[in-house]
Amino acid sequence: MYPILVDLYGFEIRSFEVMLLVAWAMGLSLAVQQAKTEGLDGSMMSVCWFWGLIGAVVSARLPDLLSSPPATYDGPVLMQFLERLQHSRSSSLSGLLGAAVTGTGILFFHRQAILRYADAAVPGIFILLAMCRLGCFLNGCCFGVPTQGWWGCWFHPNSAAGIYAASLGDVRLVPTQLLLASGNLAVSILAVFLRASMQAPGTKCCVMMFLYAGLRTIVAVWRAPHFFVGEQTDIGQDQIVWIAIGAGSIVLMIFMRDRNGIKSV
């Protein structure tokens, strides 16, 4: 895999950054199309998508920024912040929450149907997540445990996955990025073909979030311990978080169906 696509005299274009732009464009296109299909305003979806992206980028790195040590040099506050931002790590869960809060705020301000827009945005969100995971695969991050199976992959020696594999004797690793990408793509396709709002607005969003939480819980079994600045993520704790999110999605779906007077068959 190739973390750096272009390197011109120190100016680097990383594969993950390119895939992030592709993911944003594909997700926006699908979300706007789905909004129009469900009788919603496509331009309003575009506004929510734009500000949601900003909210996701900021919130994804916020936890690490708050816990990271101060900048290593004295200088303007803005430059110190940019240095910490450059070396911070991101969290997909924090990014999703940031995008959801930002998008909800925009819709609430314009007095739009929040739950209906959330349902319409689901296919675009999951195609975005699928493309981002392909970017992770190219970048060599979010990798899996060592394996001798046919599905194991080699990674670039300068990537995080390559360095981890070399420390274990140059082994192959489970491509958990591709597992997540495939699962996210399947959820996106399923969301397109489900009924617009599954009777109660917001139900589709809850069902897809439940499936995503289940996917993350299962794939975490093959995720390798990741080391960042001497810290190790706790995979078991990650699974507990996603199980809680999945359970919360079911509870929220039942609540919304009861509020709309819909009885389960």
Side-chain angles (χ1 to χ4, degrees):
M1 312 321 141
Y2 302 93
I4 300 176
L5 295 179
V6 178
D7 187 354
L8 295 175
Y9 303 102
F11 177 74
E12 298 179 350
I13 299 179
R14 303 188 68 87
S15 55
F16 181 79
E17 295 167 351
V18 173
M19 292 303 298
L20 182 61
L21 291 176
V22 173
W24 181 82
M26 291 182 63
L28 172 62
S29 177
L30 184 55
V32 170
Q33 179 182 358
Q34 192 71 13
K36 293 179 179 179
T37 301
E38 298 186 11
L40 301 172
D41 186 359
S43 61
M44 178 58 62
M45 179 65 78
S46 298
V47 171
C48 291
W49 199 265
F50 173 77
W51 288 107
L53 175 66
I54 295 178
V57 170
V58 173
S59 62
R61 295 181 179 270
L62 188 60
D64 194 57
L65 282 173
L66 295 177
S67 60
S68 62
T72 57
Y73 69 96
D74 294 329
V77 175
L78 178 59
M79 296 304 298
Q80 293 184 19
F81 174 78
L82 292 176
E83 183 200 10
R84 295 174 62 189
L85 181 65
Q86 180 182 4
H87 295 92
S88 62
R89 54 193 171 99
S90 59
S91 166
S92 58
L93 178 57
S94 298
L96 283 173
L97 291 175
V101 170
T102 306
T104 300
I106 295 295
L107 292 171
F108 180 80
F109 178 79
H110 290 279
R111 298 186 177 183
Q112 298 293 319
I114 296 174
L115 295 179
R116 290 190 62 199
Y117 274 93
D119 285 338
V122 165
I125 291 173
F126 281 96
I127 200 68
L128 182 149
L129 291 174
M131 298 304 296
C132 283
R133 287 304 176 184
L134 290 180
C136 291
F137 181 69
L138 294 175
N139 191 49
C141 60
C142 306
F143 48 89
V145 296
T147 180
Q148 296 180 349
W150 59 267
W151 62 333
C153 292
W154 304 102
F155 289 87
H156 194 280
N158 292 332
S159 67
I163 295 173
Y164 177 76
S167 69
L168 299 176
D170 200 21
V171 297
R172 289 184 295 177
L173 303 176
V174 175
T176 49
Q177 314 96 323
L178 297 184
L179 297 179
L180 288 172
S182 302
N184 288 328
L185 179 61
V187 173
S188 177
I189 295 173
L190 178 62
V192 169
F193 288 100
L194 284 178
R195 286 178 293 176
S197 291
M198 299 179 65
Q199 296 182 310
T203 304
K204 180 197 290 188
C205 185
C206 288
V207 171
M208 297 302 106
M209 196 61 198
F210 171 77
L211 294 177
Y212 180 64
L215 174 67
R216 290 296 301 264
T217 302
I218 295 172
V219 173
V221 174
W222 294 290
R223 282 285 294 272
H226 290 183
F227 295 87
F228 295 97
V229 200
E231 295 182 1
Q232 178 180 352
T233 57
D234 189 340
I235 300 300
Q237 182 179 359
D238 185 62
Q239 288 178 304
I240 293 174
V241 170
W242 285 110
I243 290 174
I245 291 175
S249 300
I250 294 299
V251 172
L252 187 59
M253 180 187 68
I254 295 174
F255 169 77
M256 287 187 295
R257 289 175 63 87
D258 289 344
R259 190 182 65 173
N260 284 271
I262 299 174
K263 297 182 179 179
S264 300
V265 178

